[in-house]
Amino acid sequence: MIRWIIFIAIFGVIDFYAFQAFKTVTKNSWLHIAYWLVTALVIGNFVYHYYGFNRSDGFSHSHAFAFGFFIAVLVPKMLLLIVMLGEDVFRVPQAIYRYFTEGDNARGNYFASRRKFISQVALGLAAIPFSAILYGIYKGKYNFKVLKYTLHFEDLPEAFDGFKLTQISDVHSGSFDNVEKVAYAIDLINEQQSDVIFFTGDMVNNKAEEMLPYVDIFSKLKAKEGKYSVLGNHDYGDYIKWDSTELKAQNLNDLKSIQKKIGFDLLLNENRFIEKQGERIAVVGVENWGKGGFKKAGDLKKASSKVNEDDFKILLSHDPSHWEAEVVGDNYHYHLTLSGHTHGMQFGIEIPGWFKWSPVKWRYKQWAGIYEKLGQYINVNRGFGYLAFPGRVGIWPEITVITLKRGSNNA
């Protein structure tokens, strides 16, 4: 209870300052009422859904939208707070000066009126994140992007020169609310006509049943050299409360069965070989391995036990923290690692080829796109779906297409 009182008090301060800009720009009392009515509805809905909330009880669509709309009003108001406080940096000293120099002549009103221009600028700035967040909730989460890369390897088997792979990650099917948009994305994947499709974990939020409405859709994925997958941290059902360990185990078995029904070859610390014209590449798949309290079920040594040191290797590992922690320094040379997990935080700014930023960079060194170290590459997919916040802002859902080429990049 105390933390909710503190929360409401803090939001009250933010709202007080935000409203200063609003009422300076317009004196229309109906708009003032509308401002407070929208605020009350959003905050009330948020408190209703999260008072006493326990993550282990599950996370519904209504929880997601309550959180999303709360963020949509909080971020712009925080921006208004910053601008209004900035104006007070000048107004407060002026008020103090008037208090001591004008005394009763100021009739107790020592503060200079807020400047309408400053409030207009503040509202204009606040409209940018407000619009972006609303767009992210209604459109951005299904704004699928196909990102294409070409990677060169001098030891790539000749038969695989030009070999094309598609990677998707972090489906989080329990978050979806539009079957047609998901079907569109599957068609987009098939349009790439890749040789192989890799899925790098987190098919569901918590329960295998979340995937049931999408089994037929995902079963349409096509790749002539196969479809391979690994588990992500959410696939184990660790984040909700189960009535028994048997039900939790059954849930994981159900998810494995669903992946098989879709056509994925699920690699549980295992490997497979793709062969062409007498040559081969190794596909190594580990279970989830992550730093910072995440499950460490991945066993790289076990997964590659049947792989030769000189094989060309593609590693599927859900969490990119695994790459620098164990993969790069391993005696085996893993040419390409495919990961996901970060979602790019579903929020950031990207200008393709020029600039890329998200707050998640402070948590993960490799958080989106291609990285290289010691002649080894990792691609961190931004995710196919979304989790918690029901949208994406600036970091769009991703379908990665990577073409492998034999030889040097300078050739």
Side-chain angles (χ1 to χ4, degrees), residues 15-33:
D15 239 325
F16 170 79
Y17 268 95
F19 186 65
Q20 300 302 306
F22 195 76
K23 74 175 185 178
T24 300
V25 170
T26 178
K27 305 301 181 183
N28 189 310
S29 59
W30 287 107
L31 290 178
H32 294 176
I33 293 172

Side-chain angles (χ1 to χ4, degrees), residues 183-309:
Y184 159 77
I186 297 303
D187 290 340
L188 193 58
I189 293 171
N190 286 333
E191 285 177 13
Q192 308 312 310
Q193 298 183 332
S194 290
D195 296 292
V196 65
I197 293 174
F198 295 122
F199 170 63
T200 49
D202 277 2
M203 182 164 281
V204 297
N205 294 342
N206 295 297
K207 295 183 176 182
E209 65 189 41
E210 298 166 14
M211 192 62 190
L212 293 179
Y214 305 98
V215 169
D216 290 342
I217 295 173
F218 276 79
S219 296
K220 295 179 181 178
L221 288 171
K222 297 176 182 178
K224 58 185 178 181
E225 300 294 344
K227 301 180 289 186
Y228 301 89
S229 65
V230 292
L231 297 175
N233 55 299
H234 279 266
D235 294 324
Y236 296 90
D238 288 342
Y239 302 126
I240 60 171
K241 182 170 56 181
W242 297 92
D243 291 336
S244 68
T245 55
E246 290 78 14
L247 284 175
K248 181 180 179 182
Q250 184 60 51
N251 178 72
L252 182 56
N253 288 332
D254 290 345
L255 183 62
K256 292 176 183 178
S257 297
I258 287 173
Q259 293 220 24
K260 184 177 181 179
K261 187 174 182 180
I262 289 173
F264 281 117
D265 185 354
L266 177 61
L267 304 181
L268 302 169
N269 293 324
E270 300 172 281
N271 63 76
R272 303 285 188 269
F273 292 100
I274 300 175
E275 298 185 3
K276 292 181 65 176
Q277 301 173 22
E279 296 182 303
R280 71 181 190 179
I281 61 174
V283 178
V284 180
V286 297
E287 293 197 49
N288 191 79
W289 193 105
K291 295 176 67 175
F294 288 103
K295 180 182 287 290
K296 287 182 171 62
D299 188 332
L300 187 60
K301 296 297 184 185
K302 180 181 178 182
S304 58
S305 60
K306 298 180 181 178
V307 176
N308 295 331
E309 186 175 353

